[in-house]
Amino acid sequence: MKKLISFLCVGLLGGCFSLGYFYYQSQTADFQIKDIQGNRDVLKNMEIEYTHAGEQSYLKASIKDAHVSTKIVKESPTYDVLNPRLYDDIKGVDIDRIGKETSNPWLETNADGSTSYQQKIDEAQLVYYMNGQKVTEIRTDIVEHSDDSLSLYLKRKDGRDDQTYAKENDSTDHYDFDVCVAIPMSDGAYYFMPEINNHRSGQNYIYRIKDFKAEKFVKLPQRNDSVLLRNKDLLIVVSYDKPNWYFTGYDLQGNKQYELKIESIENCDYDDLSFISLRQNNQYINIKIDETIYVIDADRGKIVDSFQDELSYIQDMYYKDGKLYLLGRYQNIKEKETDARIYVYEKSKLLYVGSIYEWELYKLDGGGYTYDQNLGFRMDFKR
C-alpha cells in the first residue's frame, strides 16, 4: 500500500518531507517571493502560512501579497503545528478494536523490561468513542480483517483485559488507521463516519451523536468510504468504488440531495485518500484524480472547473474567482534543489510560478541557530 500523496484535510495529515539538517541564523527575516514565471499581481489578497519544524523549535512564515515574514519559535512543535484541522470545531474520535481469542498460539514478547503475550487473530469489530464531558460509544457493524498487508493481534499482559491492535506487515508502509473526527452541524448534533478501506467490510453508516448518544443516521452504499465533509447544512461523503469517486450530499434529515461521480482513468486499487489530494475552501472541494484537478461546487454537487496538473506533491489548493492556487514542492534532482512554490492557473493556463523560499530561509542574518532534526513542513492558504 504505497502512499503517493498525503491527504491533508483533517487534523490531518500534514506532509512530512525530510530535507536533512538546516541552519537558521536569525530570529526573524523579511523578503519577497521570487518570481519564476508571470506577474505576482495574481497573488493580491492571498495569504499563506508556512511552517518548518525541528525537534526543539520551528520556523513560521507568513506570506501576504508576495511578501514573506518569518520568525523562529523556540519551543517543541505540537501535533497541530504540522497537522491542520479539518474544521476548527471538530471533536476527536478514538478507535478501538474488539477481537476474540482463537486457536492460534500465544507468542511471548518482551518490551521495556516486561513480558506480554500476543496472538494473531483473523478479524476484529470496530468501536469508536467521541470524547467530551462524557465519552460517547459508537458501536459499528464494521469488521477489520487480517490479510497479506495487515495483521491483527490480541495482546495479553499482567492479567489485564486483552487488547486488540493492528500492524502493517510491511514496515515500509504506513497504515492510515482513520480520519477520526466528529463534525458539528447547525442542529446541535455531531456527525461521524468511519472509514471503509480494503481491510474492512460490513455495513457503514453516518452516525448522529447528540446528548451523549450515537444513532445510525444514514445507511451508506457498499463502497470505500474515505471522509465526511460539511458544507453549510449538507454532509458530504467522499467514497470510492473502483474505478469511480463519488461525492454524495445529504441534508440534516438524512435525505440525499445529490451524487456526483468522477471516473479514475488510471483505475488504481485505491484503499483510502492517501493516494490523492483533496482540499476544501468555502463551498469548493478541490480534488486531484489522476492528472486532473476538479473543482466541485458542494452547494450543487457540480464540477465548475478543471485543471491539468503534473505536480506529484501538493500541499494545498484554493479556488477563487476562476483561478486555482496550488502550493507544492519543486525538486531539481540534477541541481540538487528543493523548493516550495506557488502555482496559479486559470482555465488550465499557468499564469504564475513563485518561489516561497530558497536559501533566504537558510541564510537569515544573525547568530547561529540549528535544527538538529527535521520533522517536516506544511503550507496552507489562510482560510
Side-chain angles (χ1 to χ4, degrees), residues 104-370:
N104 294 333
W106 286 89
L107 302 178
E108 181 177 322
T109 61
N110 292 280
D112 301 324
S114 62
T115 300
S116 62
Y117 299 87
Q118 67 178 25
Q119 179 191 74
K120 187 174 181 179
I121 59 176
D122 297 327
E123 62 183 36
Q125 183 184 7
L126 298 188
V127 179
Y128 296 84
Y129 299 92
M130 189 181 83
N131 298 314
Q133 294 178 338
K134 182 180 178 181
V135 175
T136 303
E137 181 183 87
I138 310 164
R139 189 169 291 267
T140 75
D141 298 332
I142 300 170
V143 175
E144 192 165 55
H145 306 272
S146 289
D147 54 31
D148 292 339
S149 59
L150 184 75
S151 292
L152 296 168
Y153 293 93
L154 282 182
K155 184 177 181 180
R156 183 172 293 172
K157 181 179 179 181
D158 299 334
R160 303 174 189 170
D161 292 339
D162 294 341
Q163 293 180 320
T164 306
Y165 71 95
K167 181 180 180 181
E168 196 67 76
N169 293 335
D170 183 352
S171 60
T172 63
D173 280 349
H174 173 66
Y175 181 44
D176 294 321
F177 286 100
D178 261 21
V179 175
C180 287
V181 295
I183 300 173
M185 299 295 285
S186 61
D187 61 355
Y190 281 81
Y191 292 84
F192 169 71
M193 183 192 74
E195 178 189 340
I196 295 289
N197 56 38
N198 290 344
H199 304 294
R200 298 173 180 176
S201 64
Q203 180 59 56
N204 200 16
Y205 296 84
I206 299 174
Y207 292 85
R208 185 175 185 267
I209 306 166
K210 195 168 186 179
D211 299 327
F212 311 112
K213 294 181 180 179
E215 62 180 4
K216 294 174 180 176
F217 178 64
V218 173
K219 184 178 180 180
L220 298 173
Q222 294 287 336
R223 299 172 184 159
N224 278 16
D225 299 315
S226 294
V227 68
L228 182 67
L229 304 176
R230 77 176 176 201
N231 178 55
K232 301 170 185 173
D233 282 338
L234 284 178
L235 294 162
I236 302 163
V237 174
V238 183
S239 59
Y240 178 74
D241 186 16
K242 188 177 181 179
N244 300 313
W245 284 95
Y246 294 87
F247 297 78
T248 311
Y250 298 93
D251 62 26
L252 297 185
Q253 287 72 49
N255 302 311
K256 183 165 71 173
Q257 296 299 306
Y258 62 74
E259 184 164 87
L260 171 67
K261 180 175 72 173
I262 302 176
E263 182 178 359
S264 172
I265 298 174
E266 294 183 1
N267 197 19
C268 295
D269 190 17
Y270 296 111
D271 76 338
D272 59 36
L273 280 173
S274 300
F275 286 93
I276 64 171
S277 279
L278 183 150
R279 308 291 188 271
Q280 182 180 5
N281 67 279
N282 303 320
Q283 80 268 31
Y284 297 114
I285 298 172
N286 311 302
I287 183 170
K288 181 176 181 179
I289 299 175
D290 306 327
E291 300 303 324
T292 302
I293 296 174
Y294 297 93
V295 180
I296 299 167
D297 183 344
D299 287 343
R300 301 178 291 126
K302 302 291 185 182
I303 297 173
V304 296
D305 220 333
S306 63
F307 303 83
Q308 295 299 308
D309 175 75
E310 297 181 357
L311 282 178
S312 60
Y313 192 87
I314 296 175
Q315 275 277 305
D316 201 5
M317 298 183 279
Y318 197 96
Y319 184 75
K320 179 182 179 182
D321 298 332
K323 297 181 180 65
L324 180 69
Y325 297 79
L326 300 181
L327 293 172
R329 299 295 304 179
Y330 169 80
Q331 285 185 283
N332 185 326
I333 304 299
K334 183 178 180 180
E335 301 296 331
K336 297 182 179 180
E337 293 178 349
T338 303
D339 203 3
R341 292 189 175 181
I342 180 170
Y343 300 79
V344 184
Y345 291 87
E346 186 175 39
K347 300 185 183 301
S348 289
K349 178 183 178 181
L350 183 60
L351 298 181
Y352 178 80
V353 182
S355 170
I356 293 177
Y357 78 51
E358 284 185 316
W359 287 101
E360 287 90 344
L361 293 188
Y362 309 142
K363 298 185 298 184
L364 307 181
D365 298 330
Y369 180 79
T370 301

